[in-house]
Amino acid sequence: MGCFSSKKTKYTPGYEEPTVLASETSFSVSEVEALYELFKKLSRSIIDDGLIHKEEFQFALFRNRNKKNLFVDRIFDLFDIKRNGVVDFGEFVRSLSIFHPDAPVSEKIAFAFKLYDLRQTGFIERDELKEMVVALLHESDLILSEDYVETIVDKTYTDADTKGDGRIDQEEWKEFVLKNPSLIKNMTLPYLKDITLAFPSFVLNSEVPDSEV
Amino acid sequence: MRVPWFSKGFTRSISCPILDDQVEDGQEIARTKSPPPFYNAFEFISSMSSGFDLSNLFENKRKSGSLFTSKCSGSTIMATLETVAKTFNFRVVWSKGYKLKMEGESEGRKGKLAVTAEVYEVAPEVAVVEFSKAAGDTLEYKKFCEEDARPALKDIVWSWQGENNCQS
């Protein structure tokens, strides 16, 4: 069984019970417990306060705390459900749940839409798409002429904006994804199914531990 | 020839290898008639961006890319891929349009390794090539991508997915 610490376990701020989180997400109780191990590791990497700050998220994804990236900003903002600038354990699990292989496709489609809707207007506007293409080229250190960027955006828009009103709404996005399912392949992390193997809980318990009031 | 793009710090020559006809005439003609299928901007963003790739939260090692961009023509890329297959004793199981499947000759840990490669076009003269494992052991597949395919393809690769992100 291994060592068991006898001091009272202190949970991170915003901690929610694994049973509660499991009932509301695609994760099992032991998967939530495994995610807690990952969460603790990520949330103490730069600021040891039990919360994931944007820098820590950047560090986890790029091994570089200072790397500013439009896409990381978007993901972080969506994970930060309470909009208070940090991601706590509850928010972490609920957001990651959408990436679980068993999560409903409709949730993945909706999340991807919100990711690309940079200014949260409820539509993916042409200039938002262009901004993302430019950001991607910058991230990959590739330079394409303005004409080529316009061509890429135009062709994509022609395919997606079926109503021809100059912006992509949720309905058009959903149809577009159903025609091109690989568009949401980054919305599924197969790794989440094996998370208990990667992050075994050090405390084997069959009952829920006492939580701090 | 007007070159519409360049890579930062790019010093090596821009020309793509001119290869002899190593494919069936039928395929070559078909490829010159139509370009690779369009790889739309969302596809490009979701595949190439490390920011959108949350698997990095879980994996400690830098993930090996199985996707690269190229400025060569679709038919040159396909011909190069077929050459690479033969170099590493892979049999080209089928090659049609801008997709091919290759299979290793020797039995690996989980049977013969089979890899598919697909070429897409983002813009004229900007292609994206995606590898995926069709059969066999994942570690052998990763080894093939990183140790065999990568160096062999360097003449046609512009940028690998996930590169240039580690600068501090």
Side-chain angles (χ1 to χ4, degrees):
Chain A
M1 289 269 171
C3 294
F4 185 92
S5 172
S6 57
K7 72 175 190 311
K8 189 171 163 123
T9 321
K10 186 174 148 72
Y11 293 108
T12 57
Y15 180 80
E16 293 181 55
E17 293 295 342
T19 45
V20 170
L21 288 171
S23 68
E24 293 177 24
T25 65
S26 303
F27 294 116
S28 66
V29 173
S30 49
E31 285 170 346
V32 175
E33 286 169 348
L35 280 175
Y36 190 55
E37 299 303 313
L38 170 63
F39 178 80
K40 281 190 289 187
K41 185 180 121 183
L42 296 176
S43 63
R44 62 167 75 115
S45 65
I46 297 170
I47 304 164
D48 191 2
D49 62 353
L51 295 165
I52 300 180
H53 295 255
K54 183 167 306 178
E55 282 177 308
E56 291 170 322
F57 209 66
Q58 276 163 201
F59 184 71
L61 291 174
F62 291 121
R63 298 290 177 271
N64 181 341
R65 57 187 283 184
N66 292 318
K67 175 116 185 156
K68 296 252 175 282
N69 181 282
L70 173 66
F71 306 112
V72 174
D73 284 352
R74 291 302 304 134
I75 296 226
F76 186 82
D77 282 351
L78 289 180
F79 269 55
D80 180 16
I81 302 168
K82 298 192 190 87
R83 316 295 289 133
N84 59 357
V86 284
V87 172
D88 61 31
F89 182 55
E91 290 170 315
F92 186 65
V93 175
R94 289 174 205 283
S95 304
L96 268 185
S97 172
I98 300 168
F99 292 79
H100 193 281
D102 298 340
V105 172
S106 55
E107 270 182 31
K108 295 175 193 280
I109 294 177
F111 192 92
F113 185 84
K114 283 191 264 185
L115 266 177
Y116 297 129
D117 179 12
L118 303 181
R119 285 180 282 284
Q120 297 122 68
T121 53
F123 301 95
I124 301 173
E125 266 104 1
R126 206 183 168 288
D127 58 346
E128 288 174 323
L129 181 56
K130 184 168 170 184
E131 194 180 327
M132 288 189 281
V133 172
V134 169
L136 173 69
L137 294 171
H138 185 258
E139 177 191 309
S140 318
D141 262 349
L142 298 172
I143 298 172
L144 272 185
S145 70
E146 176 86 11
D147 286 345
Y148 273 44
V149 173
E150 288 287 327
T151 306
I152 296 168
V153 175
D154 278 343
K155 277 185 95 164
T156 304
Y157 232 73
T158 307
D159 282 350
D161 179 20
T162 47
K163 293 176 190 161
D165 61 356
R167 51 196 192 170
I168 300 169
D169 60 35
Q170 294 202 43
E171 210 181 289
E172 287 167 319
W173 173 250
K174 191 170 162 189
E175 271 172 40
F176 194 51
V177 173
L178 293 174
K179 270 197 299 196
N180 304 281
S182 59
L183 279 176
I184 52 164
K185 65 175 180 280
N186 62 331
M187 289 302 308
T188 295
L189 298 167
Y191 202 89
L192 291 176
K193 276 208 123 152
D194 299 323
I195 191 96
T196 50
L197 300 173
F199 294 94
S201 183
F202 294 123
V203 179
L204 281 174
N205 51 358
S206 54
E207 63 204 349
V208 176
D210 295 325
S211 58
E212 285 202 319
V213 176
Chain B
M1 177 174 72
R2 187 171 68 92
V3 175
W5 37 254
F6 53 92
S7 183
K8 285 183 194 161
F10 193 67
T11 49
R12 60 185 163 88
S13 78
I14 289 170
S15 65
C16 282
I18 314 281
L19 295 168
D20 294 330
D21 264 56
Q22 283 166 337
V23 300
E24 299 166 32
D25 285 339
Q27 284 302 322
E28 190 61 48
I29 290 164
R31 283 169 196 160
T32 47
K33 281 221 170 90
S34 62
F38 179 55
Y39 204 60
N40 71 62
F42 292 108
E43 197 82 73
F44 193 38
I45 291 164
S46 63
S47 304
M48 288 285 292
S49 172
S50 295
F52 272 171
D53 184 7
L54 292 187
S55 61
N56 287 327
L57 288 180
F58 305 98
E59 286 169 33
N60 288 320
K61 234 173 47 132
R62 209 56 257 155
K63 205 170 85 150
S64 64
S66 52
L67 188 147
F68 65 88
T69 52
S70 173
K71 55 222 181 221
C72 298
S73 71
S75 30
T76 302
I77 296 172
M78 287 301 288
T80 310
L81 289 171
E82 281 160 4
T83 307
V84 167
K86 292 187 183 105
T87 308
F88 295 101
N89 292 320
F90 274 68
R91 181 177 67 94
V92 176
V93 176
W94 48 255
S95 169
K96 191 171 176 201
Y98 292 99
K99 251 182 105 148
L100 66 75
K101 180 173 173 181
M102 55 176 102
E103 189 184 62
E105 265 173 13
S106 48
E107 289 282 331
R109 268 197 285 164
K110 291 191 183 157
K112 292 183 183 174
L113 179 62
V115 178
T116 49
E118 287 193 67
V119 182
Y120 298 92
E121 182 182 88
V122 172
E125 296 163 37
V126 183
V128 166
V129 183
E130 267 194 50
F131 284 112
S132 46
K133 186 192 76 165
D137 182 54
T138 304
L139 286 174
E140 284 169 23
Y141 165 70
K142 287 191 171 162
K143 181 171 175 286
F144 169 72
C145 285
E146 259 174 281
E147 294 177 22
D148 299 336
R150 254 175 108 112
L153 291 167
K154 69 173 173 16
D155 284 342
I156 64 166
V157 170
W158 188 13
S159 171
W160 279 93
Q161 169 213 18
E163 297 249 291
N164 304 313
N165 287 325
C166 298
Q167 302 127 7
S168 38

